[in-house]
Amino acid sequence: MTYLAVPISAGSLNEARRQIRDALAAGAEVLELRTDYLQPLQPGMVVNLIGEVRALSPADTRVLVTCRDPE
């Protein structure tokens, strides 16, 4: 099965929230939260973002969290 995946690569929490809303409105079935772009990155931010995605999206929306090394 193929899913529509959208990367969320925002530098701020507010921008990430906007990108999440836009992606869900466009029909995203998988959201990739690129946490390496968030500044300053804190574990609580990521937990809150995942919770917000769960509250806004259908139950079958998948969330992938990545934090890539700059190198």
Side-chain angles (χ1 to χ4, degrees), residues 6-24 31-35 37-39 45-46 48-50 52-53 56:
V6 177
I8 306 300
S9 55
S12 71
L13 197 54
N14 286 335
E15 178 63 15
R17 288 176 176 136
R18 186 193 65 74
Q19 288 183 15
I20 289 166
R21 285 191 307 272
D22 290 350
L24 291 172
L31 295 178
E32 178 189 7
L33 301 180
R34 290 288 311 272
T35 59
Y37 285 99
L38 289 172
Q39 297 299 320
M45 283 172 80
V46 177
N48 289 339
L49 267 181
I50 293 169
E52 290 178 31
V53 169
L56 292 171

